[in-house]
Amino acid sequence: MGKNNKVKKEYKKLSQQKSPKIPLARNVIVAFVVGGGICILGQLIGELYISLGFDPEKAGDPTVATLIFVASVLTGLGIYDKFAQFAGAGTAVPVTGFANSIVSSAMEFKSEGLVLGVGCKMFSLAGTVIVFGTVTAFFAGIIHALLG
Amino acid sequence: MGRYFNLAVPVAIINGATICGPVEGKGPLSNYFDTVIEDNSLGQASWEKAERQLMETVSKNVLEKSNVRPEAVDIFLAGDLLNQIITSTFTARTMQIPFLGLYGACSTFAEGLAVAALLLQNQDISLCLTATSSHNSTSERQYRYPTEYGVQLPPTAQFTVTGAGATLVTNKSSASQIYITAVTIGRIVDLGIKNPYEMGAAMAPAAKDTIKTHLEKDSGGLSSYDAIYTGDLGEVGKAIVIEMLQQEDINIEHIYDDCGTMIYDLDQQNVNSGGSGCACSALVTLGLILHQLRTKQARKVLVVSTGALLSPTSYQQKETIPGIAHAICIERKEGSE
Amino acid sequence: MNIYLAAFLVGGAICVLGQLLIDLTPLTPAHVLTLLVVLGGITSALGWYEPLVEFAGAGATVPITSFGHSLVKGAIAEAESQGLIGALSGVFKLTSAGITSAIIFGFLVALVFKPKG
């Protein structure tokens, strides 16, 4: 077993040495600029809704819905995934990435039918975000109610 | 014993047929393929139906090219990447030829020809059809993510080739000048790679193991080969194989290339480390390599198709990726025209 | 600070955190997004996320961390007014627009478009 592990360790070293490195600096800069840019877009849309008469407290809802709408259409047109290959976390982390994960799953599995495909598989990627967010919120609520 | 089989009855490759997708059609080898499709969905309702059409097309084309009717074929050997090899079984349903299904992931091309060649040592049968296919989108949705999901791939990732290849082989020696003369059946080699975006590294040790075994057993040795090709190791796996063989004093670099790095223009096409998939070695062998053998640019070639035998379940359960590689030696016989 | 500049810097920084986690750890994008949501929820529970929203506007509300924040904010607000049951009834109070629009647009887009591969 010991010898086997040594071979695997040595192989890991060789394979890493032959593998091109992830262009970290480039990825970080692009993620920063694109992610920040999507947030500026969100800010613009929010201010637009406020100027249309939305209560500043409530303008978040139509803003998020608008961003999700745009991301959904771009996913449908086959553009979002191409851009995401370029932008990485810059398009994955904003709420537009959440929309992309739902819309791409729904589209992809339409070939298995509206119920077993679209319905059952829509949250195949986004489900984890909702599950863990909900668990966190539940315990935060419980702790808050108990400790007041 | 075993592993390396020098075929007592050389097996003639009567014809090959190929079809490739739009991305491969923009690659440097597109002129060598019979058909280039413009639309990767082929107008079908699902990606799986599109892939099936690819395999059915080449299976029918290779028989037509050779003026052979399906009823004349003894055994159809086929495999693909999809769960329960549905592309192959549905193609077999269409072809109505006695069918043996194969699964060797991307090693299936050489696996099919190796099994056919060994079966054809039995003179009770005379004609085998082998086929394999892969489709970028069926693979993406089965192994990774929905095709429209935005994900940034690391530079070690590979791009699944869309395409299919079929080969008609026989033990009747007058049928062709091109023969499979020896095969080496691969062993699973697993050196602990877990990341599904490092398939080249996962498969390279198996390729090295098979190439080394084959060259040691072949009485002609390395110097008798004009070229050695691995299936789909990509740039990363190719560099590892060269290095690992060099460590054993086997220097193949001057005659060696990898189909995954040949089928695309790695600088211009956005495919990271190169191509992968069953169709990768099938297209390059049946397109380019057979052409080189026929036009006497090469006389003896070793094709080593490589497979990463992972499943989405196995890697989610944190299993390592088992690699395999099967080798077929293809030769042009002089004076048999 | 100008709200647009703040939104750009904070939003960009949260994305950089995601990028670093994806590139430097073996975590998949799904793991990283899950982590960010939980992180947003915890910082919200500690009372740190709301000031970030006030400072950076969309820079804090557009990244997925905001989803965790909204879930927690809803649960805590309801827990304050309704007691323990609020931890169940309040979770989705503030995130309904996001989740519902993603489901509706996802459904409609799936009806209209085919994946291009």
Side-chain angles (χ1 to χ4, degrees):
Chain A
M1 221 32 230
K3 185 171 174 252
N4 202 0
N5 279 339
K6 196 173 156 235
V7 170
K8 285 185 178 175
K9 237 182 224 155
E10 267 169 21
Y11 184 65
K12 195 170 182 192
K13 230 163 78 189
L14 173 66
S15 69
Q16 279 172 351
Q17 180 203 330
K18 297 291 177 190
S19 299
K21 297 284 165 287
I22 289 175
L24 188 63
R26 175 247 172 242
N27 285 359
V28 162
I29 292 168
V30 173
F32 184 77
V33 173
V34 172
I38 293 175
C39 292
I40 289 184
L41 182 68
Q43 188 70 32
L44 277 168
I45 295 171
E47 311 251 341
L48 180 73
Y49 281 115
I50 291 171
S51 74
L52 289 175
F54 274 87
D55 178 347
E57 282 287 303
K58 296 273 172 205
D61 283 349
T63 304
V64 164
T66 306
L67 286 171
I68 287 175
F69 175 75
V70 171
S72 302
V73 172
L74 290 177
T75 302
L77 293 172
I79 296 168
Y80 201 89
D81 68 318
K82 306 269 181 306
F83 191 54
Q85 165 70 25
F86 163 78
T91 45
V93 171
V95 69
T96 50
F98 177 74
N100 169 249
S101 70
I102 288 175
V103 178
S104 63
S105 300
M107 281 168 75
E108 187 63 60
F109 296 104
K110 188 168 66 162
S111 53
E112 281 80 42
L114 284 181
V115 173
L116 297 180
V118 176
C120 291
K121 298 275 181 69
M122 185 183 266
F123 286 98
S124 63
L125 291 164
T128 172
V129 161
I130 296 178
V131 169
F132 283 92
T134 302
V135 170
T136 308
F138 173 75
F139 284 107
I142 292 282
I143 291 168
H144 201 85
L146 292 180
L147 303 181
Chain B
M1 265 315 290
R3 296 209 64 193
Y4 173 84
F5 300 94
N6 190 15
L7 301 176
V9 182
V11 170
I13 298 179
I14 301 173
N15 264 312
T18 50
I19 188 167
C20 79
V23 183
E24 298 69 27
K26 291 191 182 73
L29 301 184
S30 74
N31 287 339
Y32 294 101
F33 306 140
D34 296 338
T35 317
V36 178
I37 58 168
E38 300 289 324
D39 168 13
N40 62 358
S41 77
L42 288 144
Q44 298 283 358
S46 71
W47 299 122
E48 287 74 17
K49 283 195 170 79
E51 181 174 341
R52 186 196 311 173
Q53 194 178 330
L54 295 177
M55 194 192 271
E56 287 185 356
T57 304
V58 288
S59 301
K60 288 173 184 167
N61 281 358
V62 76
L63 295 183
E64 266 170 37
K65 270 188 191 182
S66 319
N67 282 320
V68 168
R69 288 148 47 85
E71 303 85 275
V73 180
D74 294 298
I75 298 175
F76 177 46
L77 293 147
D80 58 271
L81 291 173
L82 301 189
N83 292 336
Q84 288 76 40
I85 54 168
I86 52 170
T87 312
S88 303
T89 48
F90 285 120
T91 302
R93 182 178 69 183
T94 304
M95 301 302 291
Q96 285 297 306
I97 302 169
F99 169 62
L100 291 172
L102 306 170
Y103 186 79
C106 314
S107 72
T108 305
F109 172 68
E111 181 183 1
L113 284 175
V115 172
L118 292 172
L119 286 171
L120 286 165
Q121 300 305 296
N122 180 338
Q123 297 292 332
D124 290 339
I125 63 171
S126 65
L127 211 49
C128 285
L129 173 65
T130 72
T132 191
S133 66
S134 52
H135 191 296
N136 187 275
S137 295
T138 58
S139 291
E140 284 301 314
R141 76 198 295 260
Q142 176 177 302
Y143 286 98
R144 290 173 278 270
Y145 297 108
T147 52
E148 298 302 332
Y149 179 56
V151 63
Q152 192 171 45
L153 298 172
T156 52
Q158 291 177 242
F159 188 88
T160 307
V161 170
T162 298
T167 323
L168 190 63
V169 287
T170 181
N171 49 17
K172 300 282 174 279
S173 64
S174 58
S176 165
Q177 307 160 250
I178 314 293
Y179 292 84
I180 299 171
T181 54
V183 303
T184 295
I185 306 294
R187 264 191 322 213
I188 301 270
V189 182
D190 184 341
L191 289 188
I193 298 291
K194 277 187 177 169
N195 183 348
Y197 288 125
E198 293 177 22
M199 302 246 263
M203 298 186 289
K208 171 240 158 190
D209 181 63
T210 295
I211 293 171
K212 180 171 181 268
T213 305
H214 189 95
L215 293 178
E216 278 171 2
K217 298 281 177 67
D218 185 333
S219 57
L222 175 61
S223 60
S224 68
Y225 283 90
D226 297 312
I228 298 175
Y229 298 99
T230 47
D232 57 348
L233 296 180
E235 272 189 312
V236 176
K238 181 178 158 182
I240 295 173
V241 161
I242 292 172
E243 171 92 25
M244 288 182 98
L245 283 168
Q246 233 155 26
Q247 286 171 5
E248 312 230 8
D249 284 327
I250 304 168
N251 191 352
I252 61 167
E253 200 173 353
H254 57 294
I255 55 164
Y256 166 64
D257 211 340
D258 178 72
C259 300
T261 63
M262 298 159 69
I263 195 163
Y264 298 117
D265 182 337
L266 297 189
D267 296 328
Q268 300 296 320
Q269 295 183 292
N270 191 12
V271 296
N272 294 302
S273 188
S276 65
C278 302
C280 189
S281 58
L283 286 174
V284 175
T285 305
L286 299 176
L288 177 73
I289 299 170
L290 278 193
H291 172 79
Q292 287 177 340
L293 286 161
R294 281 184 182 135
T295 56
K296 309 195 173 180
Q297 296 170 61
R299 197 196 63 78
K300 185 178 180 186
V301 172
L302 190 67
V303 174
V304 187
S305 296
T306 40
L309 302 173
L310 78 168
S311 83
T313 307
S314 76
Y315 84 73
Q316 282 168 10
Q317 294 179 352
K318 313 258 189 306
E319 299 284 351
T320 54
I321 303 172
I324 195 155
H326 305 294
I328 50 173
C329 172
I330 311 177
E331 288 184 69
R332 189 185 69 247
K333 294 274 186 183
E334 306 289 357
S336 60
E337 335 218 333
Chain C
M1 195 191 291
N2 179 306
I3 185 72
Y4 288 98
L5 182 62
F8 179 72
L9 295 177
V10 171
I14 296 173
C15 292
V16 165
L17 176 63
Q19 188 74 45
L20 290 173
L21 286 168
I22 291 171
D23 284 352
L24 297 178
T25 70
L27 300 176
T28 67
H31 286 95
V32 171
L33 294 176
T34 303
L35 198 65
L36 288 176
V37 165
V38 173
L39 208 64
I42 291 172
T43 47
S44 173
L46 294 170
W48 302 342
Y49 207 90
E50 199 59 43
L52 193 67
V53 173
E54 275 157 31
F55 171 68
T61 58
V62 167
I64 198 73
T65 42
S66 154
F67 187 63
H69 162 61
S70 298
L71 292 170
V72 166
K73 194 177 162 190
I76 287 180
E78 196 87 345
E80 265 172 10
S81 58
Q82 312 288 328
L84 275 177
I85 193 68
L88 291 177
S89 60
V91 173
F92 289 112
K93 275 266 157 84
L94 301 175
T95 50
S96 175
I99 296 177
T100 307
S101 54
I103 293 176
I104 297 301
F105 296 141
F107 185 74
L108 295 177
V109 166
L111 290 185
V112 176
F113 294 99
K114 264 184 76 174
K116 289 174 184 56

